[in-house]
Structures are given as structure tokens and as C-alpha cells.
């Protein structure tokens, strides 16, 4: 019996992370999980270029403290284009709720990253998020 692959609403991801090992591990894990990584960058300027010129980005995984500035600037640009944002940081910013769908606290197990993406995807689809969310994840977005 053949089973079809579930169609995801969130497929194209931009990773904005200035810690090389974290960025590499995240990119590899998400590719293996079936996501398309449109870019992995470590600077605000590079992230803004991707957001302005990328054909499609469904979700930005965004660290707040970057080498050349604040991820908040990236979040504002992504939010203005209607792109979902998941802050992935050790210290979730106070204004995150107004910009992002959620915040995943570092360090986190990889399954929590998938759980956070799945919860955001459910809300984007107009469904209720799973009852059990990862412990290190705060969901801000709500189903319509």
C-alpha cells in the first residue's frame, strides 16, 4: 500500500542564524525532514536581501542576536511581506508577539523545532494547534 506525502503549507524556509554549527545542524535536519531551505544566512543584510528578492519564503527561522545587528529588523521586513516568523533564540524579544507566530527557546531538541513548525502550520491553515506543544515553544499566532 502506498501512502502519499502530506502536502505542507510551510515548505520553503529561510534560516537566519549566526552560530555556524547550529545553522548547519538545523539546515541538515530540516532538509532531511522534507523542507526546502531557500537560504541559510548569518547577517541581517543577507536576510533582508533574501526576503526582498526570494520567490517564496513560507517561514523564517530567526535568531535575534546577529553579528551585524538585530533579528528584529529582519522580523519587521518579513512581517511586512506576510511571511511567518519563528524566533529561535535564547532570549525571546518583548515585541516578538506582534511580529512572529512563535518563539522557540534555545537550546531545543530537533523534535521541538518540528513541533513548533507543525503548530504554526496548523494555525496558518486555520486549524487548532496541537494540544501538546513543545515545552520550549511559545505559540503567539491563533487560528482564525
Amino acid at each position: 500500500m502506498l501512502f502519499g506525502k502530506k502536502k505542507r503549507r510551510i515548505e520553503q524556509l529561510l534560516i537566519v542564524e549566526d552560530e555556524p554549527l547550529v545553522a548547519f545542524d538545523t539546515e541538515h535536519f530540516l532538509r532531511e525532514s522534507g523542507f526546502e531551505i531557500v537560504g541559510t544566512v548569518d547577517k541581517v543584510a543577507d536576510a533582508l536581501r533574501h526576503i526582498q528578492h526570494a520567490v517564496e519564503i513560507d517561514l523564517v527561522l530567526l535568531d535575534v542576536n546577529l553579528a551585524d545587528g538585530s533579528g528584529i529588523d529582519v522580523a519587521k521586513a518579513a512581517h511586512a511581506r506576510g511571511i511567518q516568523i519563528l524566533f529561535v533564540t535564547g532570549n525571546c524579544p518583548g515585541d516578538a508577539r506582534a511580529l512572529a507566530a512563535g518563539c522557540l527557546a534555545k537550546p531545543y531538541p530537533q523534535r521541538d523545532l518540528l513541533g513548533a513548525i507543525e503548530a504554526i502550520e496548523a494555525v496558518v491553515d486555520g486549524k487548532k494547534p496541537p494540544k501538546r506543544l513543545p515545552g520550549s515553544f511559545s505559540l503567539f499566532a491563533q487560528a482564525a
Side-chain angles (χ1 to χ4, degrees), residues 28 30 32 35 50 53 69 104:
H28 178 73
L30 291 172
E32 291 295 313
F35 292 95
H50 271 282
H53 301 295
L104 182 63

Side-chain angles (χ1 to χ4, degrees), residues 37-132:
I37 307 302
V38 299
T40 300
V41 298
D42 62 353
K43 293 183 173 59
V44 171
D46 295 335
L48 292 174
R49 254 191 306 285
H50 271 282
I51 289 167
Q52 292 166 354
H53 301 295
V55 175
E56 187 170 345
I57 299 171
D58 300 318
L59 179 68
V60 177
L61 302 178
L62 181 59
D63 194 1
V64 174
N65 298 314
L66 302 169
D68 68 334
S70 173
I72 298 295
D73 296 328
V74 176
K76 288 176 182 176
H79 183 74
R81 293 219 36 220
I83 300 170
Q84 296 294 320
I85 301 145
L86 172 60
F87 281 112
V88 182
T89 183
N91 187 16
C92 197
D95 52 354
R97 213 173 260 286
L99 297 169
C103 188
L104 182 63
K106 287 180 181 174
Y108 57 84
Q110 291 178 330
R111 71 179 176 277
D112 284 4
L113 178 57
L114 283 182
I117 293 170
E118 288 170 3
I120 292 168
E121 185 172 55
V123 171
V124 168
D125 281 342
K127 300 175 186 168
K128 290 189 178 197
K131 290 190 188 293
R132 189 174 188 114

